[in-house]
Amino acid sequence: MQYDLVISRLVKEFGTFRAVDDVSFEVPKGSFFSILGPSGCGKTTLLRMIAGFEEQTSGRIEISGQDMRGVTPNRRPVNLVFQHLALFPMMNVAENIAFGLRRRKVPAAEIRRRTEEMLERVGLPGYGAKRIHQLSGGQKQRVAIARCLVLDPKLLLLDEPLGALDLKLREQMKVELKKLQAKVGTTFIYITHDQSEALVMSDTVAVMNRGRFEQVGSPQELYMDPQTPFVAGFVGDNNRWEGTVEEVEGETVLIRTDEALVFRARRKADAHKGPATLFLRPEAMVIDPVGTDGLNTFPAVVKAILFDGANSRLLTVTPSGHELLAALPQNRAFDHIRPGAEITLGWHPHSGIVFARREERP
Amino acid sequence: MNRSGLFWLFLTPVLLWLFLLIVLPHVDLFILSFRTDEGWSLENYANFFTEPIYWLTFVRTAVYSIITTLLTLVVSLPVAFYITKLSRPRVRGFLMILLLLPFWVSELVRVYGWMILLRESGVLNYLFLQLGLLERPVEMLYNDATMIMGLVYTSMLFMVVPLVSVMESLDDSLVEAAYDLGASKICIWRTIIIPHCKPGITSGAIVVFMLVLGNYLTPNLMGGKNSLWFTEQIYNQFIASFNWNQGAAFGFLLLALSSCIVWVGLKLTGQKLGEVAS
């Protein structure tokens, strides 16, 4: 497989603080790669090193097989879409898009042709003469991407460009970005703290925490099969129990939670007898299951109904006061449930996963 | 008292000031400039055009003022950029104080300071002689270069301050975006930073130009007899020749000149005075 970006053992230190801590990964040509992590996890620093605005402390960045050490941002075959887009307010839309081509001394006629072509491609034909402040948020977004794509970069880096948009537009832009990437075939590297953006758009997602990659995989893998407690807690909603593993039987464990409920659940590699954490997705819970064979069950009281269309949840609480979210399918079978109702929740041992509890790294 | 009464109460001192100290004397000078001992005449203005020394000094002053303004701009841009973008916030205040500090001393003292440094028996000459760089002392004062340096030094603050305020509003990511899109450093200055700073550059340039054109002290002391400034011609007419009519005419010519050059400058850069002032 051909890789557009190969990063090996990359480290960036600011004084004594390690912002990026020994990160290695590669991005195949033409794929949509996301780096997902909470703010302050080092993802922006990583992106700025790829773009060339920061120099790595150690390690290697290779773009299309070429080492990028000492290459300034204006000479790297990558372009960055900034968080706040950074469109040039002193120029109109066409001049913004033509900026990079002008710097490359492309003939004027070709600049005009390629600018118009690009505007058409992002769905803004005839917008060339508009000023930046006349555009809506979504249009600015598209101009910012067009300004980079017109240069045919090997990599397009995107630094949370959807963050400033309102929710409705963000949903729409997610789909649009994904379609655009499929159309132009450029490798996209997208960083975000919004897991839904990463899951919806990406071919591959890397989850980053405290300067390290916790897990790299397809969105499905991250969601279904998290390798670390951080990924389990960060990607998607998850219920969490602290407890103790009492028995290990191959791939399943018997765990007793701190409130003395006993469950069977799937075991993760490092789980052994002793303190452990159990994660369970809200949609894994079945409300008032008919047959309880092989299911873990426990009683709970409905505290509130969090109605959100297809994504509705029940906020329930166990007898000892532990709050849990359970998916509430909107198929009218549960219309009778009211706050205060006593219900039974059941789940299959395969859907809960148990990690050995580790002391959090400082 | 109602609002409009209060408004006039506060405005009156300003209007009185403007009328009594600015408008009235100018009207009087304007009348004087069209009079000679024999009565009404255009002779004062005609003298200016027939006597080469007058209009040559006039042109010289205009050209050197423009050069000084441009030089001040060239020196101030990197200074303002360093203060706003490169220095740490705590250092920034300190640097601004450093810039302001010389202006707590009167211009006269500052110019004499330069003279102590530069004159034939001055500090620099002494140093160069001791170091063996020079064999005999050189007179560094009383030439155009020294005078222009003095003028740039005196007026730099008035360029840096508006530039700093306008550069503070420049988003760093614009500079980075241009760099990322392939622009060299010079290109970033030309296409991003300077266009962004245009209002600050214009207001700074107008202030500096006016100050330099009307400066009397620095050209007189540092330029000496070799570098005549038009303000010296005006002074000579009023004080030395006691020809107030001629002096008044020169004064109005200088006023016309400065207004004219500022107008041309605004036209060339496509700006309006109202926009710059706000």
Side-chain angles (χ1 to χ4, degrees), chain B residues 4-138:
Chain B
S4 88
L6 211 60
F7 175 75
W8 285 107
L9 182 75
F10 281 113
L11 199 64
T12 309
V14 180
L15 289 178
L16 277 177
W17 169 280
L18 278 175
F19 183 74
L20 291 176
L21 294 173
I22 312 279
V23 178
L24 211 58
H26 271 79
V27 169
D28 191 35
L29 281 175
F30 193 64
I31 294 169
L32 270 181
S33 74
F34 285 103
R35 287 189 70 92
T36 57
D37 296 341
E38 283 91 50
W40 295 98
S41 154
L42 282 173
E43 198 191 314
N44 296 321
Y45 289 93
N47 279 343
F48 170 78
F49 292 102
T50 48
E51 195 68 61
I53 181 83
Y54 293 150
W55 62 261
L56 279 177
T57 316
F58 190 74
V59 171
R60 236 180 76 88
T61 308
V63 170
Y64 278 2
S65 296
I66 293 171
I67 292 175
T68 307
T69 309
L70 290 179
L71 277 177
T72 312
L73 178 63
V74 170
V75 174
S76 304
L77 274 173
V79 172
F81 188 76
Y82 184 85
I83 290 175
T84 48
K85 296 294 173 195
L86 302 178
S87 65
R88 275 169 296 151
R90 272 175 57 198
V91 183
R92 187 175 306 170
F94 175 69
L95 289 174
M96 282 306 283
I97 300 264
L98 275 190
L99 265 179
L100 270 169
L101 213 57
F103 288 80
W104 292 357
V105 177
S106 103
E107 190 184 348
L108 188 67
V109 177
R110 268 179 286 141
V111 171
Y112 273 120
W114 275 113
M115 292 176 77
I116 290 170
L117 283 177
L118 297 177
R119 67 179 176 194
E120 214 173 340
S121 53
V123 176
L124 273 184
N125 267 314
Y126 177 77
L127 261 178
F128 287 153
L129 283 174
Q130 292 297 311
L131 290 171
L133 292 170
L134 290 175
E135 283 177 12
R136 15 193 196 96
V138 173

Side-chain angles (χ1 to χ4, degrees), chain A residues 251-268:
Chain A
E251 283 309 294
T252 52
V253 293
L254 197 69
I255 181 171
R256 179 183 296 274
T257 66
D258 290 350
E259 51 195 311
L261 294 165
V262 180
F263 297 128
R264 276 178 194 289
R266 190 149 55 104
R267 169 182 182 245
K268 276 290 154 193

